[in-house]
Amino acid sequence: TVAGQEPAPEHVLAILASDPEAEVRAAVAYNDYASPDVQAMLAGDPAEAVRRSLAARIVALDAGALELLVVDPAPSVRAELAANYRTPLAVVSWLASDTVASVRECVAAREELPLDLLVRLAADPEPAVREAVIVNPACSDDLLTLLANDPVE
């Protein structure tokens, strides 16, 4: 579709961002050429799939859209944002304290995490989060030794 083409004309993406079909809006959200205004509009889209596409793809996510996605009510949107290597580290650090374990697990799986954040996640009460730290290539030998004694449930 035109919504998924890169580069797509900005004015066309703006029109398609209001399409009644969520699939079309999701394609616009996934398009790296969506303007900051379109990103902000799609960050508040009622369809979770649209917001998840935006969190997963956009290269330079507009600050307004990022603010909405980081507190999105759908954990899958926050998890997608945590998993996206383009998400700024400050946002990833914020998501490391998310109330939903699957979001923290996505943070723990990121390879470029600083050691202090990995250490924090290694103490997470959820086994899946600690396991993500263990398999993270950035995990230090000392941290692996500490986690080796972890009674994973």
Side-chain angles (χ1 to χ4, degrees), residues 70-102:
V70 79
V71 295
D72 194 280
S76 67
V77 172
R78 298 190 312 273
E80 202 66 63
L81 192 61
N84 186 334
Y85 73 92
R86 298 173 185 121
T87 301
L89 191 54
V91 173
V92 174
S93 295
W94 170 269
L95 291 169
S97 298
D98 199 277
T99 58
V100 178
S102 62

Side-chain angles (χ1 to χ4, degrees), residues 89-143:
L89 191 54
V91 173
V92 174
S93 295
W94 170 269
L95 291 169
S97 298
D98 199 277
T99 58
V100 178
S102 62
V103 176
R104 298 190 310 273
E105 183 179 354
C106 286
V107 171
R110 289 181 59 126
E111 294 182 14
E112 80 291 351
L113 285 183
L115 187 57
D116 64 320
L117 192 51
L118 276 172
V119 169
R120 188 170 105 201
L121 291 165
D124 196 277
E126 289 294 324
V129 176
R130 297 191 306 271
E131 289 172 13
V133 171
I134 290 169
V135 298
N136 189 320
C139 188
S140 70
D141 290 341
D142 290 340
L143 191 52

Side-chain angles (χ1 to χ4, degrees), residues 1-14 16 28 31-35:
T1 70
V2 173
Q5 291 179 356
E6 294 184 8
E10 189 175 316
H11 71 281
V12 173
L13 291 176
L16 293 174
V28 172
N31 191 307
D32 287 342
Y33 292 89
S35 71

Side-chain angles (χ1 to χ4, degrees), residues 3 12-28 41-42 45-47 50:
V12 173
L13 291 176
I15 292 167
L16 293 174
S18 297
D19 194 273
E21 294 294 324
E23 187 175 309
V24 173
R25 296 191 314 274
V28 172
M41 182 174 79
L42 294 172
D45 195 278
V50 173

